[in-house]
Amino acid sequence: MKPKTSYICSKITIMLMENNIIYAIFGWLGSIGLILGYLPQAIQTIRTRQTDGISMPGFCMMAVGGLCFMGQGLMLCLSQGISTGIFLFITNLITTVCSTIIFIIKMRNDYFKK
């Protein structure tokens, strides 16, 4: 009898999730990667105030996604312990703050300087 693939995948996932160190390492590596990928755009926009190439709907959707992931991270922290969702919360807090700053600069450039 052949074992089901989903059964094997679920067993592997459970084994990895039981080891919180692996879970935390992947979470923090993902957080660092996202922040380092996102922060240069925010810094350049703040320095130059150039927002011509930035899509307003795209940044709005990224901000909404960041807020939702912040909420998910906060709920994970409250329900399963601080170490579970803190990387998700901190990463999306930083990216949401950057999105908000860029959004404000974009609004000033596009709508208030016409």
Side-chain angles (χ1 to χ4, degrees), residues 41-42 44-56 100-114:
Q41 176 68 49
Q44 181 167 346
T45 302
I46 292 167
R47 283 185 183 162
T48 64
R49 304 280 183 196
Q50 295 292 322
T51 58
D52 295 335
I54 295 175
S55 165
M56 183 64 85
T100 303
I101 292 169
I102 292 171
F103 176 78
I104 291 168
I105 294 170
K106 177 82 171 155
M107 290 294 290
R108 290 186 72 213
N109 286 350
D110 289 355
Y111 299 106
F112 298 127
K113 290 188 178 181
K114 284 188 175 182

Side-chain angles (χ1 to χ4, degrees), residues 2-89:
K2 268 173 78 174
K4 294 182 180 177
T5 305
S6 61
Y7 176 77
I8 293 171
C9 290
S10 66
K11 285 295 186 183
I12 291 171
T13 303
I14 290 169
M15 185 178 67
L16 290 175
M17 294 301 275
E18 287 175 350
N19 191 351
N20 284 337
I21 294 172
I22 294 172
Y23 182 73
I25 288 171
F26 275 97
W28 283 112
L29 287 175
S31 295
I32 291 167
L34 284 173
I35 291 169
L36 291 178
Y38 196 80
L39 211 51
Q41 176 68 49
I43 291 169
Q44 181 167 346
T45 302
I46 292 167
R47 283 185 183 162
T48 64
R49 304 280 183 196
Q50 295 292 322
T51 58
D52 295 335
I54 295 175
S55 165
M56 183 64 85
F59 254 82
C60 288
M61 292 307 297
M62 286 173 52
V64 168
L67 287 171
C68 290
F69 278 130
M70 270 178 41
Q72 182 186 20
L74 187 61
M75 288 186 281
L76 281 171
C77 286
L78 295 174
S79 67
Q80 298 178 9
I82 192 86
S83 65
T84 305
I86 193 70
F87 53 85
L88 191 62
F89 179 78

